[in-house]
């Protein structure tokens, strides 16, 4: 199982690299890795398991964060309306996005960043993502709100971008242009 010992921390160049596309159909090894990434997220959100293994909670995880520079992300969370987002995705790509932006009022955090970095992280309000699922199916996902933010955080990891790279250095809490906040 993946634990915090496997999580790469900022300063490691792998977090700043552009990760490689995964050959499709995915090799057993890549499917195993992506499955373990999804398991980490579930374990990290289970109080007993998280406590037992000292797991920091996460709603998403990107392969570079466990030292694998491949375009694979896992997403696991339930949104306020009760919709469950559970995905293991190969080669996710944002194929279109809204002009309007959004940001989490609470800011963002990252397993690879062992410190609080306060500030608003501007994100597209709505995105369309094309990817291949763990099961090998091509999907096109239309996402908005919190889900759109999480997917962008993970896809950024595949391109070597950390959430704090997007915070306004002059005024971290300046309202991003053309944006509506998410409580
Ligand atoms: O890349 C994934 N992580 O670092 C996992 C830990 N961070 C989170 O779960 C998290 C927390 C707040 C906002 C966003 Cl957007 C995310 Cl993603
Ligand atoms: Ni992160």
């Amino acid at each position: 199982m993946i634990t915090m010992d496997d999580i790469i921390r900022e300063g490691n160049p792998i977090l700043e690299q552009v990760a490689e596309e995964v050959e499709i159909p995915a090799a057993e090894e890549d499917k195993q890795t992506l499955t373990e990434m999804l398991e980490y997220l579930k374990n990290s959100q289970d109080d007993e398991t998280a406590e037992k293994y000292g797991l920091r909670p996460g709603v998403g995880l990107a392969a570079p964060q466990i030292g694998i520079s491949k375009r694979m992300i896992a997403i696991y969370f339930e949104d306020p309306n009760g919709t469950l987002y559970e995905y293991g995705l190969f080669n996710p790509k944002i194929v279109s996005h809204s002009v309007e932006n959004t940001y989490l009022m609470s800011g963002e955090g990252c397993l690879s960043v062992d410190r609080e970095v306060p500030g608003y992280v501007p994100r597209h309000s709505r995105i369309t993502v094309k990817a291949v699922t763990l099961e090998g199916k091509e999907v096109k996902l239309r996402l908005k709100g919190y889900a759109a933010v999480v997917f962008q955080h993970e896809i950024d990891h595949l391109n070597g971008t950390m959430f704090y790279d997007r915070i306004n250095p002059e005024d971290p809490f300046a309202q991003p242009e053309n944006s509506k906040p998410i409580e």
Side-chain angles (χ1 to χ4, degrees), residues 65 109-111 153 157:
Q65 294 184 275
C110 186
L111 289 182
H153 179 114
H157 274 307

Side-chain angles (χ1 to χ4, degrees), residues 10 16 21 24 43 45 54 63-64 81 84 105 108 110 112-113 118-119 124 127 131 145 147 152-153 155 168:
E10 59 180 323
E16 287 144 28
E21 290 257 318
I24 300 299
N43 290 338
Q45 294 174 34
N81 320 355
L84 178 67
M105 291 284 282
E108 298 184 12
C110 186
S112 301
V113 181
H124 305 307
I127 57 173
Q152 289 172 79
H153 179 114
I155 293 172
N168 181 329

Side-chain angles (χ1 to χ4, degrees), residues 65-139:
Q65 294 184 275
I66 56 170
I68 298 173
S69 194
K70 289 187 176 181
R71 304 186 79 81
M72 308 194 288
I73 64 171
I75 305 281
Y76 187 77
F77 69 89
E78 194 167 329
D79 79 3
N81 320 355
T83 311
L84 178 67
Y85 289 81
E86 178 175 5
Y87 290 102
L89 297 175
F90 296 110
N91 306 325
K93 181 175 172 51
I94 296 173
V95 293
S96 68
H97 61 78
S98 57
V99 171
E100 184 190 87
N101 296 311
T102 190
Y103 58 93
L104 298 184
M105 291 284 282
S106 52
E108 298 184 12
C110 186
L111 289 182
S112 301
V113 181
D114 292 327
R115 59 196 170 100
E116 295 281 317
V117 184
Y120 295 148
V121 182
R123 300 287 187 187
H124 305 307
S125 278
R126 293 174 298 283
I127 57 173
T128 300
V129 172
K130 277 190 177 174
V132 175
T133 67
L134 197 50
E135 296 75 24
K137 234 178 57 183
E138 281 191 22
V139 288

